[in-house]
Amino acid sequence: MHATVAKQLPKNYKLVYDILRGAGHGVHFTMGEIYAHARRKRPAIGFSTVYRGIARLRDLGWIDEIELPGSGSAVYELKGRPHAHFRCERCGEVADVHYQLPARTVARLAARTGGRIGTAMVMLRGLCRRCSV
Amino acid sequence: MHATVAKQLPKNYKLVYDILRGAGHGVHFTMGEIYAHARRKRPAIGFSTVYRGIARLRDLGWIDEIELPGSGSAVYELKGRPHAHFRCERCGEVADVHYQLPARTVARLAARTGGRIGTAMVMLRGLCRRCSV
DNA sequence: TCCGGCACTGAAAGTCATATTCACTATCGG
DNA sequence: CCGATAGTGAATATGACTTTCAGTGCCGGA
């Protein structure tokens, strides 16, 4: 994986990346949660550094930033294949859903709008299994 | 339509609704734009009143609030049938796209997550026709 | 080894779009 | 006319980023 390149990252940014990588795919963190984890490993680290680390990793394409409509804050996860997200309106939990709009559908929509579609995101909202009981 | 019920709205909320209704379907406004329009019609109106008007109309289900991932602010439009949104990454324009996830697909995803899916939103991002030249 | 520079850092301050609080005021059923 | 309730504008608070500032550290070249 990115190991060899990762070595060139400033150590604090690497620390941030390791938090996400350690959790694995499908685990989501808010900026605040990542900061909390980072402080546990390196108490003197500042919020700005974690923030800049996230920004760098996102720009490098190593992590995905998911903007949750209506939640006020974004969540981050290890870069993976495109997928949809489900957010429970009661507990706020965010779960990955293995689904993406068929390429054919996206192409059809692009033709209809006359522009170029870069990304298509699907956001599902409702009650998760636990909260819907 | 809602005419009879609309009469019961406080006049300032009705003013806000009329701005959206006057523009028709498929036209999007940010909170700030709505406030600007409102002031033109009633210069003494306060931001809070417009804000509360929007909140009320949204709760009544007369307008839709669309949270645009990564845009920092939501846009509002007259309530209509469910549809997807396309946002140009260059000019920021938001356009309606007549498409919604097939009910069958949503049902299949709900079964897979084990929860209940209330809404499914599709957000497309890319370059609009004018910006993609 | 010593130096110049640029990347990296933490704390603090700034931004921006809402949300909420406060002290009235207008309205409506009696 | 009255009291309760809803509506109002100004001001303030909030939350999540985002940028600025004043160093610090590290690296390649002389």
Side-chain angles (χ1 to χ4, degrees):
Chain A
M1 56 115 45
H2 294 300
T4 58
V5 188
K7 290 213 153 110
Q8 303 172 7
L9 275 182
K11 64 183 188 338
N12 281 331
Y13 293 6
K14 179 164 177 356
L15 177 154
V16 168
Y17 183 56
D18 286 344
I19 289 169
L20 281 279
R21 195 160 47 111
H25 289 88
V27 182
H28 307 88
F29 294 93
T30 61
M31 185 77 76
E33 287 165 350
I34 296 170
Y35 178 49
H37 276 79
R39 282 197 80 107
R40 225 165 285 147
K41 296 193 185 184
R42 200 188 296 285
I45 199 169
F47 175 79
S48 331
T49 301
V50 173
Y51 170 77
R52 286 180 289 231
I54 298 273
R56 173 83 118 263
L57 293 165
R58 181 198 54 211
D59 294 346
L60 283 169
W62 295 8
I63 65 178
D64 278 322
E65 180 178 59
I66 303 145
E67 318 250 20
L68 300 161
S71 85
S73 86
V75 296
Y76 301 86
E77 69 175 318
L78 259 197
K79 184 73 169 190
R81 30 195 13 253
H83 55 270
H85 289 94
F86 172 84
R87 175 146 170 280
C88 177
E89 294 181 320
R90 184 119 84 78
C91 69
E93 183 189 275
V94 177
D96 283 358
V97 178
H98 295 298
Y99 173 78
Q100 58 177 309
L101 231 44
R104 210 167 359 124
T105 302
V106 175
R108 188 158 46 80
L109 296 178
R112 195 187 301 168
T113 64
R116 254 179 299 192
I117 294 178
T119 62
M121 63 172 54
V122 176
M123 264 299 310
L124 307 168
R125 292 162 83 159
L127 292 176
C128 70
R129 183 204 297 273
R130 261 181 307 152
C131 290
S132 68
V133 190
Chain B
M1 54 115 49
H2 294 300
T4 58
V5 188
K7 290 213 152 111
Q8 303 173 7
L9 274 182
K11 65 184 187 335
N12 281 331
Y13 294 6
K14 178 161 177 0
L15 178 156
V16 167
Y17 183 56
D18 285 344
I19 290 169
L20 282 279
R21 194 159 49 111
H25 290 89
V27 182
H28 307 89
F29 294 92
T30 61
M31 185 76 75
E33 288 164 350
I34 295 169
Y35 178 49
H37 276 80
R39 281 197 80 106
R40 224 165 287 147
K41 297 193 184 181
R42 201 189 295 284
I45 200 170
F47 175 81
S48 329
T49 300
V50 174
Y51 170 78
R52 285 180 289 232
I54 298 274
R56 172 84 117 264
L57 293 165
R58 180 198 55 211
D59 294 345
L60 283 170
W62 295 9
I63 64 178
D64 278 321
E65 180 178 59
I66 304 145
E67 318 250 19
L68 300 160
S71 85
S73 85
V75 296
Y76 301 85
E77 68 176 320
L78 258 198
K79 185 73 168 190
R81 34 198 5 254
H83 56 270
H85 288 93
F86 172 83
R87 174 145 171 282
C88 177
E89 293 181 320
R90 185 119 84 76
C91 68
E93 184 190 276
V94 176
D96 282 359
V97 178
H98 295 299
Y99 173 79
Q100 59 177 309
L101 230 44
R104 207 165 4 120
T105 302
V106 175
R108 187 159 45 81
L109 296 178
R112 196 187 300 167
T113 64
R116 253 180 300 192
I117 294 178
T119 62
M121 62 172 55
V122 176
M123 265 298 311
L124 306 168
R125 291 161 82 161
L127 293 176
C128 69
R129 184 204 296 272
R130 264 179 306 152
C131 290
S132 68
V133 190

